[in-house]
């Protein structure tokens, strides 16, 4: 099937109820954007033309496959204004990247996508949700603009993207559903409230975290390795390198801690979507609170942070760091010194000098 | 002139035969193996808190028979950004008791029967939770009075 055939079948009626467009590509293994460059967009794509149930099918494994409820050809005609975009990209040896957006502009020539009014993306166990997205290549790299959330949990089919420009209770997350009322706020730090300031919608993150409960058992099985990253001002995601950059201020809800940073946060993960060994670094005022039961007052603060986490142990380093626990504050004197938090909230400090304020001995009344 | 040359050759030959005939003093030596205490497999990296099994195999075990043997081990690593290494060490002293089949006399030890009956000594060592991650050096030395000291090292990676 070709564009000419499609055009003939359409006649002069540019508005159609169903349109399937096959993007004809060479068989040399090149990606879809290259194919599109070789195959001129014209003549079927005329400014003002509207397609309903629009679909572009790939002819190679690397190409993009997308559908849209409505696609309106812009001027220049390589730009499509799309409503209800569903896009799937497949790269070699990688799980497919899926994107849904309420509204988007798609460039048929370059493959650039600008999603607006809410988007959902997904690859493997990673889900992304945000207001706006800018994606230039097929290399699984994109920039998010505005409110941006990342969730690591068990893979789930994409739900309809919520309209992030308005407050919405609709959540795509596949986390255990908890009501905010069930969350126990530790006093006086109330990190949940701090995260709420970033998330601007308590329901969107309270669902992913059971605040009370035993260490390591606090999550449901599906979200055992769960992590949620929240930024008010977007971020940069490189799924090839398993690297995420969040613009500050940012909040991170981890299985073992909640972290708030005023500055940019960078996260890289070995096996980002599976067994997680996470490296996290940040510049700015940072504070992390441990989730361990009975250690609500355990916090770690710094203005420059390197954090390494495996499923059991988390190590904070940099700054130098300060560790606070039950009225005692221990300050490292050198940048390399670290604190490790083990299951149950047990903390081990590195060798080196630590300045201590407060009393470690609790006198009985 | 010919006589002088002959005498010189004989002297050199005699000195050579003397030096070749001198018995070489045996020394202790061997090799070090680092195994996971759980799997028993040789490892080049280990997690903090995990246990390692160190096996030191002597080549001249009979030299240690009925000797008071000291075994030292040191695991040392320098944290990234620091110039000071962090280490932990341990020391074990024991009296070696060897079976006659291993070159020892009858067992007379009143100490730890550490070297009993085998050609290797095993230590179980736990990596402390405060140790820095990264490259570390493990050194095990074995010493006995009158026999000498041998030290062996292995590099390994410590992870969380």
């Amino acid at each position: 099937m070709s564009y000419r055939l499609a055009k003939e079948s359409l006649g002069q009626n540019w508005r159609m109820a169903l349109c399937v467009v096959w993007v004809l590509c060479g068989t040399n293994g090149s990606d879809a954007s290259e194919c599109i460059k070789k195959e001129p967009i014209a003549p079927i794509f005329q400014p003002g033309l509207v397609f309903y149930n629009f679909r572009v099918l790939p002819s190679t494994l690397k190409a993009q496959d997308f559908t849209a409820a409505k696609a309106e050809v812009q001027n220049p005609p390589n730009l499509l204004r799309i409503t209800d975009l569903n896009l799937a990209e497949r790269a070699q040896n990688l799980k497919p990247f899926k994107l849904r957006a309420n509204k988007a502009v798609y460039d048929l020539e370059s493959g650039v996508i600008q999603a607006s009014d809410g988007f959902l993306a997904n690859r493997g166990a990673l889900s992304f949700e945000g207001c706006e997205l800018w994606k230039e290549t097929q290399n699984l790299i994109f920039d998010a603009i505005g409110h941006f959330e990342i969730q690591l949990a068990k893979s789930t089919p994409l739900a309809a993207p919520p309209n992030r420009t308005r407050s919405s209770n609709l959540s795509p997350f596949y986390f255990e559903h908890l009501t905010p009322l069930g969350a126990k706020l530790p006093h006086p730090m109330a990190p949940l409230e701090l995260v709420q300031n970033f998330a601007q919608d308590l329901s969107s993150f309270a669902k992913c975290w059971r605040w009370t409960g035993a260490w390591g058992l606090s999550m449901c099985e599906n979200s055992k390795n769960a992590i949620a990253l929240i930024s008010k001002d977007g971020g940069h995601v490189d799924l090839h390198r398993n690297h995420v950059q969040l613009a500050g201020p940012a909040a991170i809800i981890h299985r073992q801690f909640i972290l708030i940073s005023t500055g940019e946060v960078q996260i890289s993960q070995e096996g980002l979507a599976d067994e997680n060994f996470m490296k996290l670094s940040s510049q700015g005022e940072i504070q992390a609170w441990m989730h361990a039961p009975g250690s609500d007052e355990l916090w770690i603060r710094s203005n420059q942070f390197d954090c390494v986490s495996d499923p059991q142990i988390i190590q904070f380093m940099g700054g130098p760091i300060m560790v606070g626990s039950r009225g005692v504050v221990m300050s490292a004197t050198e940048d390399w010194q670290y604190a490790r938090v083990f299951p149950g909230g047990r903390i081990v400090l590195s060798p080196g000098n630590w300045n201590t304020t407060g009393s470690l001995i609790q006198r009985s009344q | 002139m010919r006589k002088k040359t002959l005498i010189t050759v004989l002297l050199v030959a005699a000195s050579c035969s003397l030096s070749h005939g001198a018995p070489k003093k045996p020394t202790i030596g061997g090799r070090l193996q680092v195994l996971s205490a759980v799997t028993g497999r040789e490892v080049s990296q280990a997690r903090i808190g995990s246990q390692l099994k160190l096996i030191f195999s002597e080549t001249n075990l009979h030299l240690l028979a009925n000797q008071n043997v000291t075994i030292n081990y040191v695991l040392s690593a320098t944290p990234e950004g620091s110039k000071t290494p962090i280490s932990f060490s341990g020391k074990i002293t024991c009296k070696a008791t060897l079976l006659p089949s291993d070159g020892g006399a009858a067992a007379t030890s009143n100490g730890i029967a550490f070297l009993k009956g085998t050609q290797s000594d095993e230590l179980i060592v736990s990596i402390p939770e405060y140790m820095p991650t990264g490259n570390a050096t493990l050194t095990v030395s074995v010493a006995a009075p009158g026999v000498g000291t041998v030290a062996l090292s292995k590099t390994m990676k410590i992870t969380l």
Side-chain angles (χ1 to χ4, degrees):
Chain A
M1 190 175 176
S2 67
Y3 295 126
R4 185 182 299 172
L5 187 60
K7 191 180 177 185
E8 284 170 0
S9 67
L10 288 172
Q12 295 302 313
N13 182 12
W14 294 114
R15 293 183 179 274
M16 51 193 247
L18 173 67
C19 177
V20 178
V21 178
W22 296 81
V23 178
L24 299 175
C25 303
T27 53
N28 57 356
S30 58
D31 62 29
S33 59
E34 287 172 349
C35 295
I36 291 164
K37 279 176 188 172
K38 288 173 189 171
E39 193 81 12
I41 301 301
I44 192 172
F45 290 94
Q46 297 291 332
L49 176 67
V50 178
F51 297 106
Y52 292 94
N53 295 324
F54 183 82
R55 187 169 192 192
V56 174
L57 295 175
S59 66
T60 63
L61 284 176
K62 287 178 75 178
Q64 293 175 329
D65 172 6
F66 80 83
T67 62
K70 182 182 172 186
E72 189 178 349
V73 181
Q74 303 294 297
N75 193 7
N78 54 299
L79 295 180
L80 298 177
R81 187 173 293 281
I82 287 172
T83 306
D84 196 11
L85 169 73
N86 264 291
L87 178 134
E89 279 183 4
R90 194 178 291 273
Q92 210 168 11
N93 301 326
L94 287 174
K95 290 173 183 169
F97 175 76
K98 294 173 184 170
L99 173 70
R100 288 199 65 176
N102 290 326
K103 291 178 183 172
V105 174
Y106 184 81
D107 186 342
L108 282 168
E109 281 186 349
S110 64
V112 168
I113 300 167
Q114 185 185 6
S116 57
D117 199 28
F119 73 88
L120 281 175
N122 163 275
R123 197 199 75 175
L126 275 173
S127 302
F128 307 92
E129 179 189 348
C131 292
E132 291 182 48
L133 171 140
W134 180 269
K135 189 171 180 302
E136 288 195 353
T137 64
Q138 293 187 332
N139 291 328
L140 304 185
I141 298 170
F142 65 86
D143 290 305
I145 302 148
H147 183 96
F148 182 45
E149 296 183 21
I150 303 171
Q151 301 274 336
L152 172 61
K154 197 171 182 179
S155 181
T156 178
L158 286 180
N163 186 336
R164 296 302 304 181
T165 55
R166 297 193 304 273
S167 176
S168 169
N169 287 328
L170 182 63
S171 171
F173 305 142
Y174 194 63
F175 286 86
E176 185 176 13
H177 284 243
L178 296 171
T179 56
L181 291 174
K184 183 183 172 187
L185 299 180
H187 187 77
M189 291 166 287
L192 208 57
E193 285 179 3
L194 291 171
V195 177
Q196 186 179 5
N197 291 334
F198 289 90
Q200 295 176 328
D201 178 2
L202 183 63
S203 64
S204 68
F205 66 88
K207 284 172 188 167
C208 74
W209 189 261
R210 184 194 289 278
W211 188 258
T212 55
W215 178 279
L217 300 172
S218 55
M219 308 292 285
C220 66
E221 193 59 31
N222 287 341
S223 50
K224 203 164 57 176
N225 296 323
I227 183 170
L229 315 168
I230 303 162
S231 169
K232 289 166 86 171
D233 296 322
H236 178 77
V237 177
D238 185 340
L239 289 171
H240 267 300
R241 294 193 300 134
N242 285 340
H243 185 81
V244 175
Q245 226 173 310
L246 288 181
I252 294 170
I253 304 172
H254 188 266
R255 190 169 63 92
Q256 294 144 308
F257 63 89
I258 280 182
L259 186 145
I260 309 290
S261 170
T262 58
E264 179 188 286
V265 178
Q266 296 196 37
I267 302 118
S268 59
Q269 201 153 12
E270 291 171 17
L272 190 62
D274 298 310
E275 288 303 313
N276 44 13
F277 184 84
M278 186 186 70
K279 288 179 183 174
L280 189 150
S281 64
S282 178
Q283 305 274 339
E285 199 177 320
I286 308 146
Q287 183 148 348
W289 294 267
M290 299 303 122
H291 280 307
S295 64
D296 292 341
E297 296 171 37
L298 177 58
W299 53 262
I300 292 169
R301 190 183 299 160
S302 180
N303 55 10
Q304 185 202 342
F305 228 51
D306 282 313
C307 166
V308 183
S309 161
D310 87 332
Q312 291 293 322
I313 309 162
I314 180 161
Q315 173 180 292
F316 296 91
M317 183 175 164
I321 60 169
M322 290 170 75
V323 180
S325 179
R326 300 179 191 279
V328 180
V329 177
M330 289 155 285
S331 306
T333 54
E334 294 181 71
D335 286 358
W336 64 265
Q337 288 174 267
Y338 45 85
R340 288 177 180 153
V341 185
F342 288 81
R346 191 165 54 87
I347 190 160
V348 172
L349 300 180
S350 72
N353 293 325
W354 292 82
N355 294 329
T356 306
T357 58
S359 175
L360 290 164
I361 301 167
Q362 292 184 345
R363 295 175 195 277
S364 57
Q365 295 289 322
Chain B
M1 186 66 183
R2 185 179 288 178
K3 270 187 182 176
K4 268 188 179 176
T5 309
L6 184 63
I7 288 166
T8 309
V9 169
L10 284 173
L11 280 173
V12 170
S15 66
C16 284
S17 67
L18 277 173
S19 66
H20 275 292
K24 196 177 177 183
K25 192 180 176 185
T27 55
I28 53 172
R31 69 190 183 101
L32 175 67
Q33 282 176 287
V34 182
L35 282 71
S36 159
V38 178
T39 64
R41 289 182 183 168
E42 202 154 358
V43 291
S44 58
Q45 70 173 43
R47 295 169 64 109
I48 58 164
S50 67
Q51 289 191 323
L52 294 175
K53 185 191 276 187
L54 314 181
I55 299 182
F56 178 80
S57 307
E58 292 92 353
T59 49
N60 286 313
L61 187 68
H62 65 279
L63 293 174
L64 301 174
N66 298 321
Q67 297 282 351
N68 289 313
V69 179
T70 304
I71 300 171
N72 284 290
Y73 59 87
V74 181
L75 183 63
S76 177
T78 305
E80 199 176 334
S82 171
K83 290 176 182 172
T84 312
I86 295 170
S87 62
F88 86 101
S89 58
K91 180 178 166 182
I92 291 171
T93 55
C94 59
K95 188 163 186 177
T97 60
L98 304 183
L99 295 176
S101 58
D102 289 321
T108 55
S109 171
N110 55 2
I112 304 166
F114 194 75
L115 303 176
K116 185 162 58 182
T118 65
Q119 283 288 336
S120 62
D121 318 320
E122 295 180 2
L123 298 175
I124 301 289
V125 173
S126 292
I127 300 175
E129 290 172 340
Y130 62 79
M131 278 299 284
T133 54
N135 293 325
T137 305
L138 174 72
T139 305
V140 175
S141 64
V142 179
V147 178
T149 304
V150 61
L152 297 168
S153 290
K154 282 244 173 186
T155 55
M156 56 186 305
K157 193 176 178 186
I158 299 176
T159 61
L160 274 189

